[in-house]
Structures are given as C-alpha cells and as structure tokens.
Amino acid sequence: MQASAVRGLTAPTGTLGGFVAAGVRSPLLMLVVAMYLGGFVLHAVAIWFLPLYLAQASISLSLPVTVLVSRRLSEWLTPAHWLGVGAIVVGLALVAAGAGAAGSARSDAAFAATAVGGVVMLVGLARSGLVSRAVTLGLLSGVGYAGSALAVRGVVLPLDPAVVVTAFTVPAFGLVAFWLYSLGLERGQVRVSTAPLVTAQTGVPALVGVVLLGDQVRPGWGAAVVVGLVLSVAGTILLSGEQQTAGERPVPSA
C-alpha cells in the first residue's frame, strides 16, 4: 500500500517537507500512516517486555509477507528469493527459541543526547545527496527505525528532562525513516528497499541491546541465536536482489 501510495504522489518528495506536504493530501498514504502507528504501539510493548534482538527480529517476518504481496505490483520472485524467505523464517524460529530476559530501560542525559545526535546525523545524511539508490535508502531508513526502537527503551516513568527529550526522538526517527523508505519504494522494487531496511532495524538494536542494555539469551542457546540472526540477515540479502524476471514492472527512474 505504501509503495502504491508514494508512486501515485504528483508533488515533489525529495525533501522531508515536500514529502509531508504531498503525503497529507493522499488518503491512501494517511491510511498507511495510521496502520504504522497501530503497529508501533504493539512494537513498543514488545520492546519493553522482550529482548531487543527478538522484538526486532520478529519484524523480519514482515519481509516475506511484503515480498509475497508485492506480486500485486507485478514484482515476481526467483528461486533465490524463495530461499531467502525460508532462511528468514527458520532464523526467526531459532532467535525466538533462544530468547532470554529483556534488559532494563535506560534514561539519562547521555542516552538522550545520543538519540538526538542520531536524528541529526540521519537527517544530515539524507540531505547530503549521497543517498539516492533504493537499496541505500532502505538501509538508511532501517537505521532510523532502529534508532526509534532503541529510543523507546529510554521512555520510562517517572518523567524527567532526559525522558522527555528521548520521547521526542521516537517519532522523529520514525518520520525520517518513513520518508526515506517511501523514497526507496518510489525509486525501486519493494523488496530492494525492504530487505536492507529489515536488516538494519534488526541488527543494530540487537547488538546494542545485548552489549549495552543487558538483553539476555537462554543458557546454552547463544550459538543458536547467532545462527538465527545470520540466517535472517542472509535471507534479507537474497531478497534484495534486483534481477528482473518476465512480467516484472520497470523500476521507476530517480
């Protein structure tokens, strides 16, 4: 739905302001935003109660679904793409089986400053003009969604200035990531933007959660979780191939 909506926009979308101005006039894109917000509420609950690597890896299940439904846009799958779908499903099963207790939330000035710096860096890269291909736009949007997920861990009670600042970065990351992903969908095939997005928003929080936030793995399941994450990433890489097959729609030009 998001791909169909952004490809139907007539106003320029190369800047964040232009994209927002065009997007609010698209009922279909506003429906997509509403669905994102509903999904985010559920995702936020998962982030608070599950290890980040499991909460984020679960999002990878959206990739096979998205790829399958993208047939509605005449984007077809090769055997390698089907192999990628299988790798993601098996990998997520291993990650879920090995998940342990979630780490604690973190709220302090350093965490808030890091979150703000991440938003500024993301916007700077987007405005630099260095990122224009669908695959790189997808990757950068994944970093943005990863930042949003990590920032959720800093939104706790009682409220203090650090928590309030961190809370504002959650939608800020999400808005910039949504824009970059939309640009990727506009300029390339759905799977080409979605695969690196899922990889980034899965891998970055998983690493940070285990190293810095205290997320745990079930005893004896460390290797299985690593294998599961590797399979999930490998599957997304397979699905990001841009080879065209018979009946596939032309890739829009930038």
Side-chain angles (χ1 to χ4, degrees), residues 2-3 6-7 181-190 193-194 252:
Q2 185 175 352
V6 297
R7 291 172 185 176
Y181 182 42
S182 296
L183 286 180
L185 293 174
E186 182 183 35
R187 299 177 183 182
Q189 299 164 339
V190 172
S193 299
T194 306

Side-chain angles (χ1 to χ4, degrees), residues 40-50 152:
F40 176 76
V41 172
L42 299 175
H43 186 205
V45 174
I47 291 171
W48 281 319
F49 288 99
L50 296 175
V152 167

Side-chain angles (χ1 to χ4, degrees), residues 22-232:
V24 296
R25 295 194 294 269
S26 168
L28 182 58
L29 192 58
M30 289 299 96
L31 176 59
V32 171
V33 170
M35 296 172 72
Y36 262 96
L37 292 175
F40 176 76
V41 172
L42 299 175
H43 186 205
V45 174
I47 291 171
W48 281 319
F49 288 99
L50 296 175
L52 271 170
Y53 62 82
L54 178 56
Q56 295 304 111
S58 298
I59 297 176
S60 297
L61 279 177
S62 67
L63 181 54
V65 176
T66 301
V67 170
L68 293 175
V69 177
S70 69
R71 291 166 63 98
R72 297 279 297 179
L73 300 175
S74 298
E75 297 181 6
W76 309 103
L77 300 183
T78 67
H81 298 145
W82 283 109
L83 182 61
V85 170
I88 290 172
V89 173
V90 172
L92 289 178
L94 289 172
V95 171
S104 59
R106 177 176 175 180
S107 174
D108 54 47
F111 189 89
T114 301
V116 172
V119 174
V120 172
M121 182 180 67
L122 193 65
V123 173
L125 285 172
R127 291 174 57 88
S128 68
L130 298 176
V131 181
S132 59
R133 297 179 61 233
V135 64
T136 51
L137 286 166
L139 182 64
L140 202 59
S141 65
V143 172
Y145 284 126
S148 182
L150 289 167
V152 167
R153 276 285 182 90
V155 182
V156 296
L157 294 175
L159 294 178
D160 59 33
V163 172
V164 172
V165 170
T166 303
F168 276 112
T169 66
V170 174
F173 271 121
L175 175 60
V176 177
F178 185 85
W179 167 51
L180 293 171
Y181 182 42
S182 296
L183 286 180
L185 293 174
E186 182 183 35
R187 299 177 183 182
Q189 299 164 339
V190 172
R191 67 173 181 273
V192 175
S193 299
T194 306
L197 178 152
V198 171
T199 301
Q201 75 173 3
T202 300
V204 174
L207 181 62
V208 174
V210 172
V211 175
L212 299 179
L213 300 180
D215 287 343
Q216 299 176 16
V217 178
R218 286 175 57 188
W221 281 79
V225 169
V226 171
V227 171
L229 289 173
V230 170
L231 281 174
S232 297

